Amino acid sequence: MTVASSLLQRFQHPAQVITTGFGFVVLVGTALLTLPIATVSGVSAGWVNALFTATSAVCVTGLVVVDTETHWSVFGELVIMGLMQVGGLGIMTLATLFTLLISGRLGLRARMFAQAETKTLAMSDLRRVVRNVALFTLVCEVITAGVLTGRFLLGYDEPFVRAVYLGAFHAVSAFNNAGFALWSDSLMRFVTDPWICLPIAGAVIVGGLGFPVMFELFRSWRRPSHWSVLTRITLGVTALLLVVGTLVFLVTEWRNPRTLGALDDSGKVLAAFFTAVMPRSGGFNSLNIADMYPSSWLVTDLLMFVGGGSAGTAGGIKVTTFGLLAFVIWAEMRGESDVNIGHRRLPQAAQRQAISIALLSVALVAVATYLLLVLTPHGLDQVLFEVVSAFGTVGLSTGITASVGPVGHVLLVVLMFIGRTGPLTLGTALALKDRTRRYQLPEERVIVG
């Protein structure tokens, strides 16, 4: 048996690879965060707080039950930073490898949809993919950290070591879509500072697009006609949601004195754009989420549920799933038997996979929302926001995270873990399990609607 064949057999069960790996890292992070040295007070944070924080960091969510700035020591913050890096890099690497495995092709034209058979993966190819993902991550984080460090040095008179630390921590948090910040108000103090908000937003977007998309853009950015369906859908839907989200937040919150109403016009545009980027799984906030109108919460819920790109650090059902469903609906409305995207036809297996992921995600959010409503005294708007944020591994909150109680915290931990590993696990498992039945049953029409 060759090394490649052995790897293929090992990848036949992605659920085992992903859940075991992430579960182990969460346990290690929990153990480290329970150490007295991890807190400012020198008293153990307790298993529930440590488990919640470790899961939030590994699953790159950003929800917190204790204030990161005042509760965790430098050691605790470094542990959180390491967990964010491992979680983001791990999910991007695994997602990229499984995407290439499903597509049956190594290279930058990794196709979006599963094939019935898979071809050979050589050890050199796997090493190259992992190396490129790690290098891409490091370069993006170093660039972001450099810009932030310079701003903290020149604009806020931070000491050099402190500026480097702040820049590095928030660069890792931003690129990995983790949302952890070293200030109690997240980034609200920088709401009108483009040198802080734009680099962080850029890192969130790049990390959320995914390695296959970004690498293909680097190779063929001058030839859009050669882009794969994955790249076209990811870029198109991402741009659409960013523009629509920015406009909706501008219109909705323009006169709200507690959010955009207190800013000048340029500040309003920057804050609205930043607020539209973060639900894609970024998790930072430059406006107080609790002060936003419920209508803005609903829009944020939708953006968080969709999430970012496949094989990236973002969560949600993914923009690819959302885009595929849109094309399916459009073809159905036109009465077409095939779903076409550009000059490519969408396989029925991919359509079923997208529908399965979307409906199962809706069911999970509905069940978790019901349970949290039963367990807590909070209203539907706040609970739904919290649940979608946990499932989408976003980290935004209306401020109720710490008050949902130990059982509620465990529920959110489970939701964050499923939200981080579930869509990738389910999507890969469905794709790899594609099989052809050798017979067909008689057809019978069913009334729909």
Side-chain angles (χ1 to χ4, degrees):
M1 180 180 295
T2 65
V3 174
S5 300
S6 176
L7 286 171
L8 282 177
Q9 287 187 355
R10 190 174 303 175
F11 282 149
Q12 289 300 312
H13 301 284
Q16 297 176 0
V17 177
I18 297 172
T19 56
T20 302
F22 274 80
F24 176 76
V25 177
V26 167
L27 292 178
V28 171
T30 301
L32 291 175
L33 290 177
T34 55
L35 298 176
I37 194 178
T39 64
V40 173
S41 63
V43 179
S44 176
W47 282 98
V48 174
N49 289 341
L51 174 64
F52 190 97
T53 304
T55 305
S56 184
V58 173
C59 297
V60 290
T61 304
L63 287 175
V64 295
V65 290
V66 293
D67 182 50
T68 305
E69 179 183 20
T70 59
H71 185 83
W72 302 110
S73 65
V74 174
F75 174 82
E77 292 171 356
L78 290 175
V79 170
I80 293 173
M81 182 178 175
L83 294 176
M84 291 188 298
Q85 186 70 83
V86 171
L89 183 60
I91 200 70
M92 180 176 284
T93 302
L94 287 173
T96 301
L97 290 176
F98 287 140
T99 299
L100 297 177
L101 177 65
I102 292 168
S103 69
R105 295 174 59 182
L106 283 173
L108 304 178
R109 291 180 174 274
R111 287 170 294 185
M112 170 66 190
F113 311 113
Q115 295 178 347
E117 69 282 346
T118 56
K119 301 175 184 176
T120 301
L121 290 174
M123 174 63 76
S124 59
D125 292 324
L126 293 175
R127 289 175 178 171
R128 176 170 55 84
V129 170
V130 174
R131 182 182 67 248
N132 289 340
V133 171
L135 181 62
F136 173 70
T137 299
L138 179 62
V139 169
C140 291
E141 290 176 350
V142 168
I143 293 175
T144 306
V147 176
L148 294 178
T149 299
R151 183 56 177 167
F152 291 133
L153 275 172
L154 302 177
Y156 297 94
D157 297 324
E158 293 282 358
F160 178 77
V161 175
R162 175 67 176 172
V164 172
Y165 178 65
L166 291 174
F169 185 94
H170 292 93
V172 171
S173 184
F175 178 80
N176 292 290
N177 280 226
F180 278 88
L182 294 180
W183 298 281
S184 301
D185 61 355
S186 189
L187 301 181
M188 290 174 58
R189 64 187 66 189
F190 307 113
V191 61
T192 58
D193 189 342
W195 290 99
I196 298 294
C197 293
L198 291 182
I200 288 179
V204 168
I205 293 173
V206 172
L209 287 177
F211 175 76
V213 171
M214 292 303 303
F215 213 38
E216 185 172 355
L217 289 179
F218 289 145
R219 286 285 297 270
S220 58
W221 65 275
R222 293 182 179 180
R223 298 177 293 174
S225 60
H226 293 182
W227 291 352
S228 64
V229 173
L230 170 64
T231 297
R232 294 181 183 184
I233 291 181
T234 301
L235 293 180
V237 177
T238 296
L240 175 64
L241 293 180
L242 288 178
V243 171
V244 171
T246 301
L247 293 177
V248 169
F249 287 128
L250 275 175
V251 172
T252 306
E253 299 290 329
W254 185 273
R255 297 185 182 278
N256 187 343
R258 296 173 297 177
T259 56
L260 296 184
L263 307 176
D264 57 24
D265 290 351
S266 60
K268 290 178 180 178
V269 174
L270 176 61
F273 172 74
F274 191 83
T275 304
V277 171
M278 291 307 121
R280 313 306 313 288
S281 199
F284 297 100
N285 62 282
S286 61
L287 299 174
N288 191 346
I289 302 298
D291 290 336
M292 296 172 66
Y293 293 133
S295 54
S296 296
W297 289 352
L298 177 60
V299 174
T300 306
D301 289 339
L302 297 175
L303 294 176
M304 291 190 298
F305 185 76
V306 173
S310 299
T313 56
I317 64 170
K318 310 299 184 184
V319 294
T320 46
T321 302
F322 180 79
L324 293 183
L325 291 177
F327 279 103
V328 171
I329 294 173
W330 177 246
E332 188 65 27
M333 293 177 63
R334 291 166 59 91
E336 297 178 352
S337 57
D338 294 327
V339 179
N340 300 317
I341 302 177
H343 299 290
R344 294 291 184 270
R345 179 170 55 86
L346 184 66
Q348 291 187 356
Q351 301 175 40
R352 295 194 301 269
Q353 291 156 18
I355 293 173
S356 299
I357 291 175
L359 291 182
L360 288 174
S361 298
V362 170
L364 178 63
V365 168
V367 171
T369 300
Y370 170 79
L371 293 176
L372 207 57
L373 282 172
V374 173
L375 294 171
T376 69
H378 302 294
L380 176 60
D381 288 343
Q382 292 176 303
V383 168
L384 179 62
F385 193 100
E386 199 79 8
V387 167
V388 177
S389 180
F391 168 76
T393 67
V394 179
L396 296 175
S397 176
T398 59
I400 68 170
T401 309
S403 62
V404 299
V407 179
H409 291 156
V410 174
L411 175 61
L412 291 177
V413 164
V414 174
L415 199 59
M416 287 188 290
F417 193 83
I418 294 176
R420 176 72 281 179
T421 62
L424 174 60
T425 300
L426 179 61
T428 308
L430 289 175
L432 293 178
K433 201 174 183 179
D434 188 28
R435 62 183 63 177
T436 302
R437 178 173 288 183
R438 298 182 181 277
Y439 63 91
Q440 287 185 324
L441 297 175
E443 184 180 89
E444 180 177 345
R445 299 288 293 179
V446 179
I447 299 176
V448 178

mmCIF file with all atom_site columns, all heavy atoms in Angstrom, residues 250-268:
data_model
loop_
_atom_site.group_PDB
_atom_site.id
_atom_site.type_symbol
_atom_site.label_atom_id
_atom_site.label_alt_id
_atom_site.label_comp_id
_atom_site.label_asym_id
_atom_site.label_entity_id
_atom_site.label_seq_id
_atom_site.pdbx_PDB_ins_code
_atom_site.Cartn_x
_atom_site.Cartn_y
_atom_site.Cartn_z
_atom_site.occupancy
_atom_site.B_iso_or_equiv
_atom_site.pdbx_formal_charge
_atom_site.auth_seq_id
_atom_site.auth_comp_id
_atom_site.auth_asym_id
_atom_site.auth_atom_id
_atom_site.pdbx_PDB_model_num
ATOM 1   N N   . LEU A 1 250 ? -26.147 51.670 7.413  1.00 0.00 ? 250 LEU A N   1
ATOM 2   C CA  . LEU A 1 250 ? -26.154 53.124 7.268  1.00 0.00 ? 250 LEU A CA  1
ATOM 3   C C   . LEU A 1 250 ? -27.570 53.672 7.370  1.00 0.00 ? 250 LEU A C   1
ATOM 4   O O   . LEU A 1 250 ? -27.834 54.647 8.106  1.00 0.00 ? 250 LEU A O   1
ATOM 5   C CB  . LEU A 1 250 ? -25.533 53.523 5.927  1.00 0.00 ? 250 LEU A CB  1
ATOM 6   C CG  . LEU A 1 250 ? -24.016 53.664 5.861  1.00 0.00 ? 250 LEU A CG  1
ATOM 7   C CD1 . LEU A 1 250 ? -23.576 53.944 4.426  1.00 0.00 ? 250 LEU A CD1 1
ATOM 8   C CD2 . LEU A 1 250 ? -23.539 54.785 6.783  1.00 0.00 ? 250 LEU A CD2 1
ATOM 9   N N   . VAL A 1 251 ? -28.481 53.060 6.638  1.00 0.00 ? 251 VAL A N   1
ATOM 10  C CA  . VAL A 1 251 ? -29.866 53.536 6.629  1.00 0.00 ? 251 VAL A CA  1
ATOM 11  C C   . VAL A 1 251 ? -30.533 53.325 7.985  1.00 0.00 ? 251 VAL A C   1
ATOM 12  O O   . VAL A 1 251 ? -31.213 54.215 8.512  1.00 0.00 ? 251 VAL A O   1
ATOM 13  C CB  . VAL A 1 251 ? -30.664 52.814 5.519  1.00 0.00 ? 251 VAL A CB  1
ATOM 14  C CG1 . VAL A 1 251 ? -32.154 53.156 5.625  1.00 0.00 ? 251 VAL A CG1 1
ATOM 15  C CG2 . VAL A 1 251 ? -30.135 53.199 4.145  1.00 0.00 ? 251 VAL A CG2 1
ATOM 16  N N   . THR A 1 252 ? -30.319 52.169 8.568  1.00 0.00 ? 252 THR A N   1
ATOM 17  C CA  . THR A 1 252 ? -31.011 51.827 9.817  1.00 0.00 ? 252 THR A CA  1
ATOM 18  C C   . THR A 1 252 ? -30.478 52.612 11.011 1.00 0.00 ? 252 THR A C   1
ATOM 19  O O   . THR A 1 252 ? -31.254 53.098 11.844 1.00 0.00 ? 252 THR A O   1
ATOM 20  C CB  . THR A 1 252 ? -30.873 50.321 10.096 1.00 0.00 ? 252 THR A CB  1
ATOM 21  O OG1 . THR A 1 252 ? -31.332 49.578 8.959  1.00 0.00 ? 252 THR A OG1 1
ATOM 22  C CG2 . THR A 1 252 ? -31.690 49.933 11.321 1.00 0.00 ? 252 THR A CG2 1
ATOM 23  N N   . GLU A 1 253 ? -29.169 52.751 11.114 1.00 0.00 ? 253 GLU A N   1
ATOM 24  C CA  . GLU A 1 253 ? -28.557 53.338 12.310 1.00 0.00 ? 253 GLU A CA  1
ATOM 25  C C   . GLU A 1 253 ? -28.124 54.793 12.131 1.00 0.00 ? 253 GLU A C   1
ATOM 26  O O   . GLU A 1 253 ? -27.544 55.368 13.052 1.00 0.00 ? 253 GLU A O   1
ATOM 27  C CB  . GLU A 1 253 ? -27.333 52.501 12.711 1.00 0.00 ? 253 GLU A CB  1
ATOM 28  C CG  . GLU A 1 253 ? -27.635 51.055 13.053 1.00 0.00 ? 253 GLU A CG  1
ATOM 29  C CD  . GLU A 1 253 ? -28.405 50.916 14.362 1.00 0.00 ? 253 GLU A CD  1
ATOM 30  O OE1 . GLU A 1 253 ? -28.216 51.767 15.258 1.00 0.00 ? 253 GLU A OE1 1
ATOM 31  O OE2 . GLU A 1 253 ? -29.193 49.958 14.484 1.00 0.00 ? 253 GLU A OE2 1
ATOM 32  N N   . TRP A 1 254 ? -28.428 55.412 10.995 1.00 0.00 ? 254 TRP A N   1
ATOM 33  C CA  . TRP A 1 254 ? -27.923 56.758 10.692 1.00 0.00 ? 254 TRP A CA  1
ATOM 34  C C   . TRP A 1 254 ? -28.278 57.772 11.774 1.00 0.00 ? 254 TRP A C   1
ATOM 35  O O   . TRP A 1 254 ? -27.454 58.586 12.185 1.00 0.00 ? 254 TRP A O   1
ATOM 36  C CB  . TRP A 1 254 ? -28.438 57.211 9.333  1.00 0.00 ? 254 TRP A CB  1
ATOM 37  C CG  . TRP A 1 254 ? -27.884 58.540 8.882  1.00 0.00 ? 254 TRP A CG  1
ATOM 38  C CD1 . TRP A 1 254 ? -28.364 59.783 9.159  1.00 0.00 ? 254 TRP A CD1 1
ATOM 39  C CD2 . TRP A 1 254 ? -26.720 58.733 8.075  1.00 0.00 ? 254 TRP A CD2 1
ATOM 40  N NE1 . TRP A 1 254 ? -27.584 60.743 8.569  1.00 0.00 ? 254 TRP A NE1 1
ATOM 41  C CE2 . TRP A 1 254 ? -26.564 60.124 7.891  1.00 0.00 ? 254 TRP A CE2 1
ATOM 42  C CE3 . TRP A 1 254 ? -25.803 57.872 7.478  1.00 0.00 ? 254 TRP A CE3 1
ATOM 43  C CZ2 . TRP A 1 254 ? -25.521 60.674 7.138  1.00 0.00 ? 254 TRP A CZ2 1
ATOM 44  C CZ3 . TRP A 1 254 ? -24.757 58.422 6.729  1.00 0.00 ? 254 TRP A CZ3 1
ATOM 45  C CH2 . TRP A 1 254 ? -24.629 59.803 6.574  1.00 0.00 ? 254 TRP A CH2 1
ATOM 46  N N   . ARG A 1 255 ? -29.490 57.723 12.255 1.00 0.00 ? 255 ARG A N   1
ATOM 47  C CA  . ARG A 1 255 ? -29.947 58.707 13.240 1.00 0.00 ? 255 ARG A CA  1
ATOM 48  C C   . ARG A 1 255 ? -29.989 58.148 14.667 1.00 0.00 ? 255 ARG A C   1
ATOM 49  O O   . ARG A 1 255 ? -30.505 58.823 15.565 1.00 0.00 ? 255 ARG A O   1
ATOM 50  C CB  . ARG A 1 255 ? -31.337 59.232 12.854 1.00 0.00 ? 255 ARG A CB  1
ATOM 51  C CG  . ARG A 1 255 ? -31.351 59.972 11.528 1.00 0.00 ? 255 ARG A CG  1
ATOM 52  C CD  . ARG A 1 255 ? -32.716 60.583 11.244 1.00 0.00 ? 255 ARG A CD  1
ATOM 53  N NE  . ARG A 1 255 ? -32.746 61.260 9.962  1.00 0.00 ? 255 ARG A NE  1
ATOM 54  C CZ  . ARG A 1 255 ? -32.301 62.502 9.753  1.00 0.00 ? 255 ARG A CZ  1
ATOM 55  N NH1 . ARG A 1 255 ? -31.817 63.207 10.771 1.00 0.00 ? 255 ARG A NH1 1
ATOM 56  N NH2 . ARG A 1 255 ? -32.375 63.044 8.556  1.00 0.00 ? 255 ARG A NH2 1
ATOM 57  N N   . ASN A 1 256 ? -29.480 56.956 14.862 1.00 0.00 ? 256 ASN A N   1
ATOM 58  C CA  . ASN A 1 256 ? -29.457 56.391 16.206 1.00 0.00 ? 256 ASN A CA  1
ATOM 59  C C   . ASN A 1 256 ? -28.369 57.093 17.024 1.00 0.00 ? 256 ASN A C   1
ATOM 60  O O   . ASN A 1 256 ? -27.177 56.933 16.748 1.00 0.00 ? 256 ASN A O   1
ATOM 61  C CB  . ASN A 1 256 ? -29.163 54.890 16.144 1.00 0.00 ? 256 ASN A CB  1
ATOM 62  C CG  . ASN A 1 256 ? -29.283 54.211 17.501 1.00 0.00 ? 256 ASN A CG  1
ATOM 63  O OD1 . ASN A 1 256 ? -29.281 54.851 18.543 1.00 0.00 ? 256 ASN A OD1 1
ATOM 64  N ND2 . ASN A 1 256 ? -29.382 52.888 17.478 1.00 0.00 ? 256 ASN A ND2 1
ATOM 65  N N   . PRO A 1 257 ? -28.748 57.891 18.023 1.00 0.00 ? 257 PRO A N   1
ATOM 66  C CA  . PRO A 1 257 ? -27.736 58.670 18.764 1.00 0.00 ? 257 PRO A CA  1
ATOM 67  C C   . PRO A 1 257 ? -26.754 57.816 19.542 1.00 0.00 ? 257 PRO A C   1
ATOM 68  O O   . PRO A 1 257 ? -25.687 58.298 19.936 1.00 0.00 ? 257 PRO A O   1
ATOM 69  C CB  . PRO A 1 257 ? -28.592 59.534 19.704 1.00 0.00 ? 257 PRO A CB  1
ATOM 70  C CG  . PRO A 1 257 ? -29.863 58.771 19.873 1.00 0.00 ? 257 PRO A CG  1
ATOM 71  C CD  . PRO A 1 257 ? -30.103 58.083 18.568 1.00 0.00 ? 257 PRO A CD  1
ATOM 72  N N   . ARG A 1 258 ? -27.085 56.549 19.759 1.00 0.00 ? 258 ARG A N   1
ATOM 73  C CA  . ARG A 1 258 ? -26.199 55.680 20.528 1.00 0.00 ? 258 ARG A CA  1
ATOM 74  C C   . ARG A 1 258 ? -25.230 54.900 19.649 1.00 0.00 ? 258 ARG A C   1
ATOM 75  O O   . ARG A 1 258 ? -24.341 54.215 20.176 1.00 0.00 ? 258 ARG A O   1
ATOM 76  C CB  . ARG A 1 258 ? -27.029 54.706 21.360 1.00 0.00 ? 258 ARG A CB  1
ATOM 77  C CG  . ARG A 1 258 ? -27.894 55.386 22.421 1.00 0.00 ? 258 ARG A CG  1
ATOM 78  C CD  . ARG A 1 258 ? -28.826 54.398 23.101 1.00 0.00 ? 258 ARG A CD  1
ATOM 79  N NE  . ARG A 1 258 ? -29.773 53.824 22.145 1.00 0.00 ? 258 ARG A NE  1
ATOM 80  C CZ  . ARG A 1 258 ? -30.678 52.886 22.453 1.00 0.00 ? 258 ARG A CZ  1
ATOM 81  N NH1 . ARG A 1 258 ? -30.724 52.400 23.688 1.00 0.00 ? 258 ARG A NH1 1
ATOM 82  N NH2 . ARG A 1 258 ? -31.505 52.436 21.534 1.00 0.00 ? 258 ARG A NH2 1
ATOM 83  N N   . THR A 1 259 ? -25.388 55.004 18.320 1.00 0.00 ? 259 THR A N   1
ATOM 84  C CA  . THR A 1 259 ? -24.470 54.298 17.419 1.00 0.00 ? 259 THR A CA  1
ATOM 85  C C   . THR A 1 259 ? -23.914 55.258 16.373 1.00 0.00 ? 259 THR A C   1
ATOM 86  O O   . THR A 1 259 ? -23.005 56.026 16.660 1.00 0.00 ? 259 THR A O   1
ATOM 87  C CB  . THR A 1 259 ? -25.187 53.111 16.749 1.00 0.00 ? 259 THR A CB  1
ATOM 88  O OG1 . THR A 1 259 ? -26.366 53.580 16.067 1.00 0.00 ? 259 THR A OG1 1
ATOM 89  C CG2 . THR A 1 259 ? -25.599 52.064 17.772 1.00 0.00 ? 259 THR A CG2 1
ATOM 90  N N   . LEU A 1 260 ? -24.472 55.247 15.156 1.00 0.00 ? 260 LEU A N   1
ATOM 91  C CA  . LEU A 1 260 ? -23.935 56.096 14.093 1.00 0.00 ? 260 LEU A CA  1
ATOM 92  C C   . LEU A 1 260 ? -24.300 57.564 14.255 1.00 0.00 ? 260 LEU A C   1
ATOM 93  O O   . LEU A 1 260 ? -23.595 58.442 13.737 1.00 0.00 ? 260 LEU A O   1
ATOM 94  C CB  . LEU A 1 260 ? -24.433 55.612 12.719 1.00 0.00 ? 260 LEU A CB  1
ATOM 95  C CG  . LEU A 1 260 ? -23.989 54.222 12.262 1.00 0.00 ? 260 LEU A CG  1
ATOM 96  C CD1 . LEU A 1 260 ? -24.493 53.948 10.845 1.00 0.00 ? 260 LEU A CD1 1
ATOM 97  C CD2 . LEU A 1 260 ? -22.479 54.071 12.326 1.00 0.00 ? 260 LEU A CD2 1
ATOM 98  N N   . GLY A 1 261 ? -25.383 57.846 14.941 1.00 0.00 ? 261 GLY A N   1
ATOM 99  C CA  . GLY A 1 261 ? -25.850 59.225 15.056 1.00 0.00 ? 261 GLY A CA  1
ATOM 100 C C   . GLY A 1 261 ? -24.851 60.177 15.684 1.00 0.00 ? 261 GLY A C   1
ATOM 101 O O   . GLY A 1 261 ? -24.871 61.378 15.419 1.00 0.00 ? 261 GLY A O   1
ATOM 102 N N   . ALA A 1 262 ? -23.942 59.674 16.490 1.00 0.00 ? 262 ALA A N   1
ATOM 103 C CA  . ALA A 1 262 ? -22.970 60.527 17.173 1.00 0.00 ? 262 ALA A CA  1
ATOM 104 C C   . ALA A 1 262 ? -21.710 60.772 16.342 1.00 0.00 ? 262 ALA A C   1
ATOM 105 O O   . ALA A 1 262 ? -20.821 61.507 16.787 1.00 0.00 ? 262 ALA A O   1
ATOM 106 C CB  . ALA A 1 262 ? -22.583 59.888 18.504 1.00 0.00 ? 262 ALA A CB  1
ATOM 107 N N   . LEU A 1 263 ? -21.619 60.199 15.137 1.00 0.00 ? 263 LEU A N   1
ATOM 108 C CA  . LEU A 1 263 ? -20.409 60.301 14.324 1.00 0.00 ? 263 LEU A CA  1
ATOM 109 C C   . LEU A 1 263 ? -20.630 61.248 13.152 1.00 0.00 ? 263 LEU A C   1
ATOM 110 O O   . LEU A 1 263 ? -21.770 61.529 12.761 1.00 0.00 ? 263 LEU A O   1
ATOM 111 C CB  . LEU A 1 263 ? -20.015 58.920 13.794 1.00 0.00 ? 263 LEU A CB  1
ATOM 112 C CG  . LEU A 1 263 ? -19.884 57.794 14.826 1.00 0.00 ? 263 LEU A CG  1
ATOM 113 C CD1 . LEU A 1 263 ? -19.581 56.478 14.121 1.00 0.00 ? 263 LEU A CD1 1
ATOM 114 C CD2 . LEU A 1 263 ? -18.810 58.122 15.842 1.00 0.00 ? 263 LEU A CD2 1
ATOM 115 N N   . ASP A 1 264 ? -19.509 61.749 12.570 1.00 0.00 ? 264 ASP A N   1
ATOM 116 C CA  . ASP A 1 264 ? -19.621 62.540 11.349 1.00 0.00 ? 264 ASP A CA  1
ATOM 117 C C   . ASP A 1 264 ? -19.853 61.594 10.177 1.00 0.00 ? 264 ASP A C   1
ATOM 118 O O   . ASP A 1 264 ? -19.848 60.369 10.330 1.00 0.00 ? 264 ASP A O   1
ATOM 119 C CB  . ASP A 1 264 ? -18.381 63.401 11.136 1.00 0.00 ? 264 ASP A CB  1
ATOM 120 C CG  . ASP A 1 264 ? -17.091 62.585 11.082 1.00 0.00 ? 264 ASP A CG  1
ATOM 121 O OD1 . ASP A 1 264 ? -17.165 61.377 10.746 1.00 0.00 ? 264 ASP A OD1 1
ATOM 122 O OD2 . ASP A 1 264 ? -16.017 63.139 11.384 1.00 0.00 ? 264 ASP A OD2 1
ATOM 123 N N   . ASP A 1 265 ? -20.051 62.159 8.976  1.00 0.00 ? 265 ASP A N   1
ATOM 124 C CA  . ASP A 1 265 ? -20.435 61.347 7.827  1.00 0.00 ? 265 ASP A CA  1
ATOM 125 C C   . ASP A 1 265 ? -19.385 60.290 7.478  1.00 0.00 ? 265 ASP A C   1
ATOM 126 O O   . ASP A 1 265 ? -19.706 59.123 7.218  1.00 0.00 ? 265 ASP A O   1
ATOM 127 C CB  . ASP A 1 265 ? -20.689 62.242 6.619  1.00 0.00 ? 265 ASP A CB  1
ATOM 128 C CG  . ASP A 1 265 ? -21.964 63.068 6.778  1.00 0.00 ? 265 ASP A CG  1
ATOM 129 O OD1 . ASP A 1 265 ? -22.720 62.811 7.743  1.00 0.00 ? 265 ASP A OD1 1
ATOM 130 O OD2 . ASP A 1 265 ? -22.189 63.969 5.952  1.00 0.00 ? 265 ASP A OD2 1
ATOM 131 N N   . SER A 1 266 ? -18.108 60.690 7.461  1.00 0.00 ? 266 SER A N   1
ATOM 132 C CA  . SER A 1 266 ? -17.054 59.713 7.134  1.00 0.00 ? 266 SER A CA  1
ATOM 133 C C   . SER A 1 266 ? -16.953 58.639 8.210  1.00 0.00 ? 266 SER A C   1
ATOM 134 O O   . SER A 1 266 ? -16.730 57.463 7.906  1.00 0.00 ? 266 SER A O   1
ATOM 135 C CB  . SER A 1 266 ? -15.713 60.427 6.972  1.00 0.00 ? 266 SER A CB  1
ATOM 136 O OG  . SER A 1 266 ? -15.349 61.089 8.174  1.00 0.00 ? 266 SER A OG  1
ATOM 137 N N   . GLY A 1 267 ? -17.139 59.041 9.462  1.00 0.00 ? 267 GLY A N   1
ATOM 138 C CA  . GLY A 1 267 ? -17.126 58.073 10.550 1.00 0.00 ? 267 GLY A CA  1
ATOM 139 C C   . GLY A 1 267 ? -18.280 57.094 10.453 1.00 0.00 ? 267 GLY A C   1
ATOM 140 O O   . GLY A 1 267 ? -18.129 55.904 10.769 1.00 0.00 ? 267 GLY A O   1
ATOM 141 N N   . LYS A 1 268 ? -19.438 57.589 10.015 1.00 0.00 ? 268 LYS A N   1
ATOM 142 C CA  . LYS A 1 268 ? -20.595 56.715 9.855  1.00 0.00 ? 268 LYS A CA  1
ATOM 143 C C   . LYS A 1 268 ? -20.345 55.651 8.790  1.00 0.00 ? 268 LYS A C   1
ATOM 144 O O   . LYS A 1 268 ? -20.675 54.469 8.976  1.00 0.00 ? 268 LYS A O   1
ATOM 145 C CB  . LYS A 1 268 ? -21.826 57.533 9.489  1.00 0.00 ? 268 LYS A CB  1
ATOM 146 C CG  . LYS A 1 268 ? -22.364 58.408 10.618 1.00 0.00 ? 268 LYS A CG  1
ATOM 147 C CD  . LYS A 1 268 ? -23.551 59.220 10.162 1.00 0.00 ? 268 LYS A CD  1
ATOM 148 C CE  . LYS A 1 268 ? -24.080 60.091 11.310 1.00 0.00 ? 268 LYS A CE  1
ATOM 149 N NZ  . LYS A 1 268 ? -25.221 60.945 10.897 1.00 0.00 ? 268 LYS A NZ  1
#
